Amino acid sequence: MIDFFKDFIKFISFKLRKSKNELCFFCENRFILNYLEPFISKKSKNKPVLVFCFENIDYKEFKNVDFFFLKTNFFRELFFLTANFKYLYSSTPDLENTIFKRTKFSKCKYIYLSHTPVSLTLIYSESAFDYFDAVQVTSKFQYNELLEIIKNRNLKTKVLKYPYLFVNNQIKKLNSKRKEKDVLVAPSWNTGFYDLNCHKILKQFLDKSSLTYNFRPHPMSIKKKEISFQELKSLNYSIDDSSFLEFSKYNFFISDWSGIFIEYALIFKRKAHLINTKTKIVNAKYQNYKNKPLEILLRNVLAKTFDLNNINDLVDDIKTENQRKKVNNNFKNDEEVVNIIKKNFY
């Protein structure tokens, strides 16, 4: 009840003041801010920008940017329904399917900005982009998928070809930050990773190697009780529980079906290491599309894959790469990865 009255006062105060903000970014949390940051910085150079959040974000690096935070769903939805902006940018899909609604009081244009380079069909709901006026695509793969979505669902959505800017900041940090550990293990959720005891098998081989490593469980794995922090700690796993993944802390990446392996390739120009568990599927209707999801299409191109009974080979491969790096004093770019990126990513 206290939160409701606080939001009431904040909402009324916001509506009473004369806003100069023609542009608004909907940023659910601090995590998503990392992906929207390049766009907010660019837009705020010429015009004042409002960032609407679902959590209190204290971020002073921006100039000409106001942060507005509401805690209750009633006033969050009311904010959206009564918004009066020229453009609203978001990295949250499913507009109109949640409390994230189109305004009833202006002709605001809604633009979706990608926070991941993965498939637009495999991990998004069928109607995820139906109510956006424009959607950013970061590669030819996403471009072809979006064209097919627009055709199949009879949409008038504009396609915005634009680079995946998030990786630029990550690349800048690679040489400026000392590595915390050799390897990051970060499986996805709903893939059977824990039911198959991948976390235990993998740890046995990592412990026998000279590699240092951290484990980063997916938030949904914790929420869905696939695993718990207590269980991982009981196995003596060193856990990376930071709110945001810093690739610059590691040299190698192990996962199963996390789309982060594409980010890893874009940043390091090398192949990640993936374990073949059950495919992670959010939208089962992805098979109705002619364009194959890039997580599947590029799985054996941007990554090295290993079956469960070959996890020892996976660890050995990382050991070999790590030793080669020590001899050459650097990692060598994978030419196949470099060529795929040049030809297909904006």
Side-chain angles (χ1 to χ4, degrees):
M1 188 61 72
I2 294 176
D3 290 333
F4 184 88
F5 283 112
K6 284 183 177 180
D7 278 0
F8 172 75
I9 295 170
K10 287 164 66 176
F11 183 79
I12 296 299
S13 298
F14 174 78
K15 286 297 180 181
L16 288 176
R17 76 173 187 253
K18 292 183 179 180
S19 175
K20 297 180 181 179
N21 305 116
E22 292 183 354
L23 308 180
C24 178
F25 284 83
F26 168 38
C27 182
E28 284 188 76
N29 50 49
R30 183 64 180 79
F31 176 79
I32 292 297
L33 182 61
N34 292 283
Y35 297 91
L36 292 178
E37 181 180 2
F39 296 98
I40 296 173
S41 294
K42 183 178 180 180
K43 293 294 183 181
S44 61
K45 286 180 180 179
N46 301 317
K47 295 182 179 180
V49 168
L50 179 75
V51 179
F52 176 54
C53 315
F54 280 5
E55 65 180 38
N56 195 8
I57 300 175
D58 184 19
Y59 194 80
K60 298 177 181 178
E61 283 79 356
F62 290 130
K63 294 180 180 179
N64 214 23
V65 176
D66 292 323
F67 283 84
F68 184 58
F69 156 63
L70 292 171
K71 200 170 184 178
T72 58
N73 284 341
F74 175 83
F75 284 103
R76 288 170 175 173
E77 186 168 356
L78 192 60
F79 173 89
F80 290 125
L81 289 172
T82 60
N84 188 23
F85 305 104
K86 191 172 182 180
Y87 297 100
L88 191 149
Y89 300 88
S90 171
S91 194
T92 300
D94 291 300
L95 179 63
E96 287 290 324
N97 296 330
T98 64
I99 61 170
F100 181 26
K101 297 286 199 305
R102 290 183 67 101
T103 180
K104 307 299 180 184
F105 288 84
S106 71
K107 295 181 180 180
C108 180
K109 298 294 184 182
Y110 289 78
I111 301 169
Y112 181 80
L113 300 174
S114 181
H115 67 274
T116 174
V118 300
S119 167
L120 299 180
T121 59
L122 187 65
I123 68 164
Y124 289 94
S125 68
E126 187 73 1
S127 58
F129 308 109
D130 283 8
Y131 295 94
F132 284 96
D133 296 286
V135 173
Q136 177 203 5
V137 293
T138 61
S139 68
K140 291 180 181 178
F141 302 104
Q142 286 187 339
Y143 174 75
N144 291 330
E145 280 187 318
L146 185 56
L147 289 183
E148 194 174 358
I149 291 171
I150 291 170
K151 181 181 179 181
N152 288 1
R153 301 190 64 78
N154 195 27
L155 306 178
K156 296 181 180 180
T157 312
K158 289 185 178 180
V159 182
L160 302 178
K161 296 180 183 179
Y162 207 76
Y164 186 48
L165 297 180
F166 164 74
V167 300
N168 294 345
N169 286 336
Q170 291 287 307
I171 292 172
K172 289 177 183 177
K173 294 177 182 179
L174 288 183
N175 296 322
S176 61
K177 217 163 192 179
R178 190 174 181 179
K179 303 304 177 187
E180 183 176 301
K181 296 287 179 68
D182 295 318
V183 182
L184 174 67
V185 181
S188 192
W189 65 285
N190 195 30
T191 62
F193 185 88
Y194 301 103
D195 290 337
L196 294 169
N197 286 320
C198 288
H199 58 308
K200 294 179 181 179
I201 299 170
L202 183 57
K203 189 176 188 304
Q204 289 177 0
F205 290 109
L206 285 171
D207 285 343
K208 292 177 183 178
S209 72
S210 57
L211 298 168
T212 58
Y213 58 92
N214 278 342
F215 194 94
R216 186 180 177 88
H218 194 285
M220 287 300 293
S221 291
I222 301 297
K223 184 177 181 179
K224 297 291 185 180
K225 297 182 179 180
E226 295 177 349
I227 195 69
S228 67
F229 284 113
Q230 186 177 354
E231 289 176 79
L232 291 170
K233 288 178 181 178
S234 70
L235 293 171
N236 293 318
Y237 256 121
S238 176
I239 299 174
D240 181 340
D241 59 357
S242 56
S243 58
F244 180 70
L245 168 58
E246 289 282 1
F247 268 117
S248 56
K249 293 180 180 179
Y250 308 96
N251 281 323
F252 301 98
F253 177 63
I254 298 175
S255 186
D256 49 1
W257 281 92
S258 172
I260 295 176
F261 85 89
I262 301 172
E263 291 183 7
Y264 178 88
L266 291 171
I267 295 167
F268 289 90
K269 308 298 187 294
R270 304 198 310 272
K271 296 181 180 181
H273 291 74
L274 305 179
I275 300 172
N276 293 325
T277 57
K278 181 181 68 175
T279 307
K280 176 186 173 182
I281 300 173
V282 175
N283 178 18
K285 293 183 179 179
Y286 82 92
Q287 294 180 328
N288 295 337
Y289 291 87
K290 295 178 181 178
N291 287 283
K292 202 170 183 180
L294 66 161
E295 298 96 302
I296 298 174
L297 191 65
L298 299 183
R299 183 173 173 84
N300 293 304
V301 179
L302 296 183
K304 298 178 181 180
T305 61
F306 299 83
D307 292 332
L308 187 61
N309 57 353
N310 291 326
I311 289 181
N312 60 318
D313 293 334
L314 181 156
V315 175
D316 285 342
D317 189 73
I318 292 178
K319 283 168 58 180
T320 300
E321 285 190 35
N322 199 42
Q323 188 61 40
R324 190 180 297 125
K325 183 259 182 186
K326 290 178 181 179
V327 173
N328 299 326
N329 202 30
N330 209 340
F331 286 105
K332 187 177 181 181
N333 288 346
D334 186 302
E335 290 303 318
E336 185 178 19
V337 172
V338 171
N339 289 333
I340 287 290
I341 294 172
K342 283 183 178 179
K343 291 179 181 178
N344 297 285
F345 289 83
Y346 303 132

